[in-house]
Amino acid sequence: MKEKTAVVSDQTVIETYFNMVYKLALSQTKNKTSADDVTQEVFLRYLKHSAKFESDEHRKAWLIRVTLNCSKNVFSNAWFQKTVPLSEELVFEEQETGEVYYAVLELPVKYRSVIHLFYYENLSVEEIASVLGKPPSTIKSQLFRGREMLRSKLKGGDKIV
């Protein structure tokens, strides 16, 4: 007997995953306006996406992958390359006050991505590897190196490059 997959409304999906997509976009772009644009683009792509998702995990992985790709596209945009960013404070509904969060934002993108997905989105190494299309050993290495950079930064050691 075939299992029926529950039909989830687009509105429910957007409400469920909005904060995850926005925070991931913000951690990647480090810019509130760009994060807004990326979030909007991700959900527009979701609404246009005609294929059915096998499960909620599949939908979440798809949204994470599209968010990361759209965030990368921000940096290749000609407008972005010809502008100088303004200094702005990052604002969340739940204000991040910890020194750790801001240290994570200073990490290189490849380490920032895996740290964010592991600690803020609670994905396992295998789930991150699947989403990013990399071997689990690479994800473990990136997590290790990212943690080492954070440890150094938080102890006042070498500056993250």
Side-chain angles (χ1 to χ4, degrees):
M1 182 190 296
K2 282 188 173 180
E3 274 188 46
K4 291 184 179 179
T5 55
V7 176
V8 181
S9 75
D10 293 336
Q11 181 68 30
T12 302
V13 170
I14 292 170
E15 289 172 359
T16 302
Y17 294 105
F18 181 84
N19 282 336
M20 177 196 73
V21 168
Y22 180 76
K23 287 181 178 181
L24 183 56
L26 188 58
S27 79
Q28 297 301 297
T29 62
K30 296 185 187 180
N31 179 292
K32 186 176 183 260
T33 305
S34 295
D36 290 340
D37 291 344
V38 167
T39 302
Q40 182 177 6
E41 179 65 24
V42 168
F43 286 114
L44 282 173
R45 289 184 186 190
Y46 174 78
L47 294 172
K48 290 179 183 177
H49 186 70
S50 60
K52 299 291 181 199
F53 294 100
E54 298 168 9
S55 64
D56 287 337
E57 291 80 24
H58 182 219
R59 179 180 290 111
K60 182 177 181 179
W62 186 89
L63 288 167
I64 289 170
R65 181 77 257 159
V66 172
T67 303
L68 291 172
N69 288 339
C70 288
S71 296
K72 286 178 188 174
N73 290 343
V74 166
F75 299 113
S76 63
N77 183 328
W79 182 86
F80 177 81
Q81 293 174 353
K82 296 178 181 178
T83 60
V84 177
L86 296 173
S87 174
E88 64 179 69
E89 280 295 312
L90 302 177
V91 179
F92 291 102
E93 285 180 25
E94 304 131 14
Q95 184 65 32
E96 294 286 349
T97 57
E99 181 182 358
V100 174
Y101 181 78
Y102 293 102
V104 169
L105 289 180
E106 293 180 20
L107 292 173
V109 174
K110 69 180 181 180
Y111 302 119
R112 189 170 56 228
S113 297
V114 295
I115 295 283
H116 180 89
L117 293 173
F118 189 81
Y119 290 106
Y120 290 90
E121 301 304 330
N122 297 318
L123 295 181
S124 69
V125 169
E126 289 75 22
E127 290 170 324
I128 296 169
S130 174
V131 168
L132 298 180
K134 296 180 180 177
S137 59
T138 300
I139 301 304
K140 288 178 185 177
S141 295
Q142 289 177 346
L143 276 171
F144 176 79
R145 290 181 185 131
R147 288 179 189 128
E148 289 299 312
M149 289 178 177
L150 284 173
R151 186 174 294 116
S152 175
K153 175 71 175 166
L154 294 173
K155 287 183 179 178
D158 298 328
K159 186 166 178 81
I160 296 174
V161 179

